[in-house]
Amino acid sequence: MAQKPSIPKGTRDFGPSEMAKRNYIFDTIKQVYQLYGFQQIETPAMETLQTLMGKYGEEGDKLLFKVLNSGDFLSKVSDQEMSALKSQNPNKVAAMLCEKGLRYDLTVPFARYVVMHREELQLPFKRYQMQPVWRADRPQKGRYREFWQFDGDIVGSDSLLNEVELMQIIDTVFTRFGVRVQIKINNRKILTGIAEVIGAADKIVDITVAIDKLDKIGLDNVNQELREDGLSEEQIAKLQPIITLEGTNEQKLDTIADVLKDSEIGLKGVDEIRYILSALCPVDCGTSAVLHNELQLDLTLARGLNYYTGAIFEVKALDVQIGSITGGGRYDNLTGIFGMPGISGVGISFGVDRIYDVLNALDCYPKDAVNGTQLLFINFGEKETAYCLPLVAKAREAGIRTEIFPDSAKMKKQMSYANAKQIPFVALAGENEMAKGKLTLKNMVTGEQQLVTIEELIEKVKC
């Protein structure tokens, strides 16, 4: 008996109605990026492990999908290497059997692209990219092993105006979607400064990884993780008022500036955040606020990826319980790992699959964005089809999404097809209509029927 087909855990099929919704998401984000002068690129699904490894931190490296070398991948493995394989040393196994991996995100491949194509690029270079990525994560609600990202990055400029523009892009996209969000912002320099002032500068990665989990695991578990990472009780105690800080953005900035008064890098981070907030949320903005959504300084926001060096961002939906739906930040020297130091960049990534789930939960899709065929021509036979085909072409030339039923089946079957696909209009042409050079147009919602010319039909369907 044939085995029932299935798909891997953490992946999904998308049918026509789902793809219409996803294309609405893609098109909306693409249009906003283009408004700001971004250009599209694509990179391969696979990258060399040399490109990928070590760029996402220890936890990220564990989530890379590695691709076995082609052919007999064990043929060149020596007895000594086979022994290492049997001992199940993950790094040895990967080095012996795999040279490539599926991309974990779009940012590291983009950095590789910039280095390889530097002579072709005009800096600053503003790119957007929408492609799937893969992570060997544990599947759960809102978390998939294969999912799409929609990134926008600006490289070759240190200006904080780039951060300001990215916040505006985020705000514009979710305003167009009709989704209320909270945009959280922090700065890795502030986090570095905090690590300095509590005497744990060497623990910056451990601190950021731990406090980034505050929303998920709670303060007590964060503190326990910090203990396990080697922070003293005194250092943990100094962190408490910082990671639980409340108040307005200005109040938080004033407090943290005082805490970081002896940290040069920390104060630089404070100044960068002040500039971004002042550009987007001027004190006297009144009704002319630059953003439609709330921008909140969150000192616990850390973003797990090691390459962030400045401002970091994360977006949460306010009306749906789900993880981050957009994130990103400043990376001052990501291209340096590929032999081109000194090129600064900043970028964001829209989590398309989570945004899809949010829009589904809130039913935020415009009707015309998800509807398919607008007009169906009924097929009565060869003579009638020959009469209808030029009219079908005219309807399509007018921009109307039009089908003609391929078989001269029973009327009930053809009408059922129209109803099943929620086609709002049906055109019928029998002997009477052909004799008059017209069509009968039926509104499938109201049931109303009219005898019309093709020009009148086009006008009515397009209204």
Side-chain angles (χ1 to χ4, degrees):
M1 186 175 180
Q3 187 176 0
K4 185 178 179 180
S6 63
I7 59 174
K9 288 183 179 179
T11 64
R12 293 184 288 179
D13 285 326
F14 296 99
S17 62
E18 293 137 325
M19 282 309 305
K21 294 176 179 180
R22 287 168 67 81
N23 284 332
Y24 164 68
I25 294 171
F26 292 139
D27 292 343
T28 300
I29 300 173
K30 183 188 298 186
Q31 288 164 10
V32 175
Y33 275 136
Q34 290 173 346
L35 279 178
Y36 286 78
F38 284 68
Q39 297 174 293
Q40 185 175 8
I41 68 164
E42 287 192 355
T43 58
M46 291 185 296
E47 296 278 350
T48 67
L49 285 181
Q50 184 179 2
T51 294
L52 298 174
M53 294 290 287
K55 313 304 189 303
Y56 306 105
E58 187 176 342
E59 290 190 13
D61 281 352
K62 292 177 183 176
L63 301 181
L64 286 172
F65 275 110
K66 300 174 180 68
V67 179
L68 287 174
N69 294 336
S70 302
D72 185 0
F73 52 85
L74 289 175
S75 61
K76 297 182 181 179
V77 179
S78 68
D79 292 341
Q80 183 179 1
E81 289 171 331
M82 183 61 74
S83 177
L85 175 62
K86 290 177 180 178
S87 70
Q88 295 185 338
N89 182 319
N91 292 330
K92 283 278 188 182
V93 172
M96 285 187 289
L97 306 182
C98 308
E99 297 172 356
K100 299 171 288 295
L102 297 179
R103 57 173 173 252
Y104 177 94
D105 73 351
L106 299 179
T107 304
V108 168
F110 173 55
R112 190 265 310 151
Y113 176 91
V114 170
V115 172
M116 289 185 65
H117 299 270
R118 171 64 188 92
E119 297 305 316
E120 307 162 27
L121 302 179
Q122 175 64 53
L123 298 182
F125 178 52
K126 304 167 83 169
R127 88 68 158 99
Y128 71 87
Q129 185 174 352
M130 55 175 187
Q131 290 184 272
V133 299
W134 295 268
R135 295 182 187 178
D137 214 339
R138 183 172 66 87
Q140 53 187 290
K141 183 180 179 182
R143 188 182 294 272
Y144 306 98
R145 287 175 171 167
E146 178 188 62
F147 55 97
W148 282 69
Q149 289 184 338
F150 205 148
D151 283 17
D153 287 80
I154 307 166
V155 295
S157 170
D158 297 323
S159 173
L160 291 172
L161 280 176
N162 298 319
E163 278 85 339
V164 171
E165 279 203 348
L166 289 175
M167 295 301 94
Q168 291 175 303
I169 287 172
I170 290 171
D171 183 69
T172 303
V173 164
F174 287 107
T175 299
R176 291 191 177 191
F177 284 147
V179 174
R180 295 189 317 123
V181 298
Q182 182 184 71
I183 306 169
K184 295 188 175 186
I185 186 171
N186 197 13
N187 195 296
R188 288 300 281 255
K189 294 184 179 73
I190 291 177
L191 294 170
T192 300
I194 291 171
E196 284 183 357
V197 299
I198 69 169
D202 60 326
K203 297 287 186 180
I204 178 60
V205 174
D206 295 328
I207 291 171
T208 56
V209 168
I211 68 174
D212 198 43
K213 300 175 183 175
L214 183 62
D215 286 345
K216 299 174 186 174
I217 65 176
L219 184 59
D220 290 342
N221 288 322
V222 167
N223 289 336
Q224 181 57 35
E225 189 167 318
L226 291 169
R227 291 186 189 96
E228 293 170 359
D229 289 332
L231 270 75
S232 68
E233 292 299 326
E234 181 183 2
Q235 290 169 333
I236 293 172
K238 288 180 180 178
L239 269 178
Q240 302 311 291
I242 298 171
I243 62 178
T244 59
L245 187 61
E246 295 183 350
T248 67
N249 290 336
E250 282 299 319
Q251 289 169 338
K252 291 177 185 176
L253 277 175
D254 290 342
T255 301
I256 199 64
D258 185 57
V259 170
L260 299 177
K261 60 182 181 292
D262 296 323
S263 171
E264 183 180 350
I265 190 169
L267 289 177
K268 188 172 185 345
V270 170
D271 288 342
E272 290 179 2
I273 292 292
R274 280 196 195 280
Y275 177 88
I276 296 168
L277 291 177
S278 66
L280 293 170
C281 306
V283 176
D284 60 347
C285 64
T287 58
S288 61
V290 177
L291 301 182
H292 296 87
N293 292 281
E294 177 191 1
L295 181 62
Q296 182 192 78
L297 173 61
D298 182 354
L299 294 173
T300 68
L301 176 63
R303 303 288 298 163
L305 304 182
N306 287 341
Y307 52 66
Y308 292 129
T309 57
I312 46 179
F313 329 109
E314 199 161 273
V315 180
K316 296 288 182 73
L318 294 177
D319 300 314
V320 177
Q321 195 69 30
I322 199 167
S324 168
I325 54 178
T326 299
R330 166 73 63 172
Y331 44 91
D332 277 334
N333 194 29
L334 186 61
T335 55
I337 56 179
F338 298 122
M340 184 182 288
I343 293 187
S344 183
V346 60
I348 54 174
S349 178
F350 289 96
V352 172
D353 292 85
R354 287 188 178 181
I355 292 172
Y356 172 84
D357 290 342
V358 169
L359 293 185
N360 277 345
L362 299 176
D363 193 19
C364 284
Y365 295 99
K367 203 167 185 179
D368 62 348
V370 295
N371 283 351
T373 303
Q374 296 169 280
L375 174 65
L376 173 70
F377 278 74
I378 297 297
N379 187 332
F380 287 114
E382 289 186 15
K383 184 171 64 172
E384 291 84 356
T385 297
Y387 173 81
C388 286
L389 282 176
L391 306 179
V392 170
K394 283 188 177 181
R396 288 171 176 160
E397 286 171 6
I400 296 172
R401 299 185 296 276
T402 306
E403 292 185 52
I404 182 167
F405 201 82
D407 305 304
S408 57
K410 290 182 179 180
M411 174 75 78
K412 183 178 178 181
K413 180 178 181 179
Q414 298 190 49
M415 287 296 187
S416 295
Y417 177 84
N419 283 325
K421 292 191 69 175
Q422 297 183 316
I423 300 172
F425 291 96
V426 166
L428 304 95
E431 288 186 7
N432 291 337
E433 287 86 1
M434 290 191 296
K436 297 175 183 178
K438 293 187 176 183
L439 296 153
T440 294
L441 178 66
K442 180 173 182 177
N443 186 316
M444 297 294 286
V445 177
T446 66
E448 179 188 3
Q449 293 189 178
Q450 292 178 280
L451 190 65
V452 295
T453 64
I454 185 60
E455 290 77 18
E456 290 169 334
L457 178 147
I458 289 170
E459 184 179 344
K460 290 181 181 296
V461 173
K462 294 186 77 171
C463 283

